[in-house]
Structures are given as C-alpha cells and as structure tokens.
Amino acid sequence: HLQILPSGGGSAQAGGSLTLSCDYSEYIYSRLSRYCMAWFRQAPGKEREGVAAFDSGDRTQYTESVKGRFTISQDNGTSTLYLQMNMLNPEDTAMYYCAANRFLGISCLSPMAYKSWGQGTQVTVSS
C-alpha cells in the first residue's frame, strides 16, 4: 500500500498554533484529472474524522469544528501538503494523518475515499 507520512506534530497550549506537513512527491495523484488530498484525525475511542481536504486542488472542504481555525494548502513545487492549525483547543488532541487518492466519487472528507493510511503524527493540546 502506498503511504504518506506526516510530520510536524507535537504539543501546544490552548490558543496556540502548529503546522503539519506531508510529502507526497512519490505520488502522482496531483497529476490526475481529479484526486483527493486530505488531513484526518483520530482521538482515542473515536472514529477517524476528516478535518480538511482538497478536491482536485481547487476546492477545499473543512469539518465544521475547524472552520476559521485550520487551513489546508499544498505546494506543488515541493510536493508538500500542509495543515496550518491556529487557535488550538484540547478537543483538537488526536493522531493526525494525511492521505491521497484518485477521486472515487465520494466526499474527500470521507475516510472511504482513501485506500491506505500511514502512521500519523500526534497533536496534543493542553488547556
């Protein structure tokens, strides 16, 4: 399975910021006519949740709880996917994953839109 491994996780206090990054240079998804790239998170005892996604690079989607605080972006020159997280709160504590796949006809924020998952990076926010 192809995996994309994120980096940049760590600890922050409530109200702080962190930036996650993910190198997708080995993958050709961005050259497809339609693809999904996204950030997900999973807290202990909870289901994996789509946080932010690109639908073929020109449409972004965010889960309601992070709108106005998180920003997904990509740099095709360096083949890097970013998640800028501002105004963090303890509810943002989770393992974060990046994922990419060709578009399967379902929302890019759905875990069902992706075939494989990497190890993730931990984000911990203290109050």
Side-chain angles (χ1 to χ4, degrees):
H1 292 288
L2 299 178
Q3 296 181 344
I4 305 177
L5 301 180
S7 61
S11 299
Q13 291 198 329
S17 299
L18 285 173
T19 301
L20 306 182
S21 63
C22 190
D23 178 7
Y24 60 86
S25 59
E26 295 184 27
Y27 306 96
I28 63 170
Y29 298 112
S30 63
R31 303 177 200 168
L32 297 173
S33 60
R34 197 160 184 193
Y35 61 91
C36 288
M37 285 189 176
W39 289 96
F40 285 79
R41 66 185 179 188
Q42 189 167 18
K46 294 188 177 181
E47 295 185 352
R48 188 162 297 181
E49 172 190 34
V51 175
F54 274 123
D55 176 348
S56 303
D58 62 359
R59 188 168 80 95
T60 55
Q61 299 170 273
Y62 295 94
T63 193
E64 193 64 34
S65 63
V66 308
K67 286 181 180 178
R69 301 189 299 120
F70 289 12
T71 303
I72 187 172
S73 63
Q74 63 180 140
D75 183 337
N76 283 329
T78 61
S79 298
T80 305
L81 185 70
Y82 296 99
L83 183 67
Q84 175 67 43
M85 305 184 293
N86 298 326
M87 295 182 286
L88 287 163
N89 60 60
E91 288 70 39
D92 296 318
T93 296
M95 187 71 76
Y96 283 72
Y97 304 84
C98 56
N101 199 14
R102 62 181 179 85
F103 183 67
L104 297 179
I106 56 178
S107 170
C108 293
L109 277 179
S110 169
M112 301 300 292
Y114 305 90
K115 293 183 178 180
S116 62
W117 303 90
Q119 294 179 350
T121 187
Q122 178 67 37
V123 171
T124 302
V125 184
S126 57
S127 57

